[in-house]
Amino acid sequence: MEQSFLHTKKILLVDDEPELCKLVIDILSDDGFSNIIDAGTAQTGLNFARQEKPDLAILDVILPDGDGFSLMKKLRTFTDIPIIFLTAKDEAADKLAGLGLGADDYVVKPFLPQELLLRVHAVLRRCYKADSPLLELEGCTIDFSRAEVNKNGIIVTLTAKEHTLLETLSRNEGRIVSIDALCEALWGDNPFGYENSLNAHIRRIREKIETDPSKPVSLITIKGLGYKLNARK
């Protein structure tokens, strides 16, 4: 049931190497994915993302009209879909840059078909838990479809920014999301200067979701890096 559910997801592949695109499409298709869109440039990928509303994007870092990191920033202005970087550049700086922006995974070419499938399945399972709008935290439940928090039977409404912030963190549940990536999710291409505003939103969210906001257990600060959201196990 889980695999059938995952296979309904629409995947956007952005890579300018025709042979690699065919290989990735064949790997995904053989596994059961039937809704795959491919683009050879960043601009085409951006257009497809707006039109087709994919559930997952697989991006090459080096593209003929830009790079995957810049494309990810543009995607983040209108969508929070999970993103996997697919590239031949096996450099720690590139990997950290992608993950620091909030990417969900990073696959280095050449790769084994099973490795790609395992990573795609893992990201989709983490980000689309049966499409349930509910997120269980310690002491409360978040209903994203209603933008509400249920804490001990008391319903508290989330603002639009709080909703976006929590959705971004929940897509990366258990992993650090950088301050820059969160600011980009909330304020778009020019997030600089918004750190104080982000901190204010974090404080208000903790008041709504934490049993003791001064000692948070769900929304954790990782000093010098960003924030992490821990779901209830």
Side-chain angles (χ1 to χ4, degrees):
M1 172 181 273
E2 180 184 68
Q3 286 205 342
S4 176
F5 162 72
L6 294 181
H7 290 145
T8 66
K9 296 304 180 184
K10 186 183 296 186
I11 298 175
L12 171 64
L13 169 65
V14 184
D15 194 299
D16 64 329
E17 298 179 44
E19 290 185 2
L20 183 79
C21 279
K22 183 179 185 305
L23 174 63
V24 173
I25 291 171
D26 287 346
I27 292 170
L28 294 172
S29 298
D30 289 346
D31 190 64
F33 291 95
S34 59
N35 205 342
I36 306 165
I37 313 158
D38 65 293
T41 67
Q43 186 58 53
T44 304
L46 188 65
N47 293 340
F48 280 162
R50 291 185 185 278
Q51 296 164 9
E52 302 292 337
K53 297 179 172 54
D55 302 295
L56 168 70
I58 301 175
L59 310 179
D60 192 8
V61 168
I62 299 176
L63 296 167
D65 57 341
D67 62 79
F69 300 147
S70 298
L71 176 56
M72 179 177 177
K73 290 180 181 179
K74 293 177 182 177
L75 290 173
R76 284 289 177 258
T77 65
F78 62 89
T79 179
D80 287 327
I81 61 169
I83 290 175
I84 297 174
F85 280 115
L86 182 64
T87 178
K89 295 184 67 176
D90 188 11
E91 297 180 5
D94 287 330
K95 183 173 182 180
L96 290 174
L99 296 177
L101 287 172
D104 294 82
D105 212 337
Y106 195 104
V107 182
V108 177
K109 307 177 221 175
F111 53 84
L112 295 173
Q114 192 61 25
E115 178 190 5
L116 177 65
L117 289 174
L118 286 172
R119 291 177 183 271
V120 167
H121 277 274
V123 168
L124 289 174
R125 279 197 302 270
R126 185 169 67 244
C127 296
Y128 301 102
K129 297 175 182 177
D131 272 357
S132 171
L134 300 179
L135 176 65
E136 300 284 341
L137 301 179
E138 189 65 37
C140 76
T141 301
I142 299 172
D143 186 338
F144 286 110
S145 68
R146 296 176 178 271
E148 292 178 345
V149 177
N150 185 331
K151 185 164 67 173
N152 299 322
I154 299 174
I155 304 298
V156 182
T157 302
L158 295 169
T159 66
K161 286 281 194 274
E162 291 167 353
H163 186 275
T164 299
L165 185 54
L166 281 168
E167 273 200 326
T168 303
L169 288 163
S170 71
R171 286 191 184 281
N172 296 276
E173 189 268 320
R175 299 170 60 215
I176 300 168
V177 182
S178 71
I179 291 171
D180 284 348
L182 291 173
C183 286
E184 285 170 9
L186 291 177
W187 292 288
D189 279 340
N190 187 20
F192 301 105
Y194 285 102
E195 187 171 344
N196 288 338
S197 295
L198 175 66
N199 291 338
H201 285 299
I202 293 289
R203 284 195 299 272
R204 286 193 290 269
I205 288 174
R206 281 175 172 158
E207 290 173 358
K208 295 180 178 182
I209 70 172
E210 300 285 359
T211 301
D212 183 353
S214 65
K215 298 178 181 178
V217 296
S218 296
L219 181 47
I220 306 300
T221 301
I222 309 299
K223 289 186 178 180
L225 294 176
Y227 295 92
K228 180 173 68 170
L229 189 67
N230 294 323
R232 185 164 61 196
K233 304 303 181 183

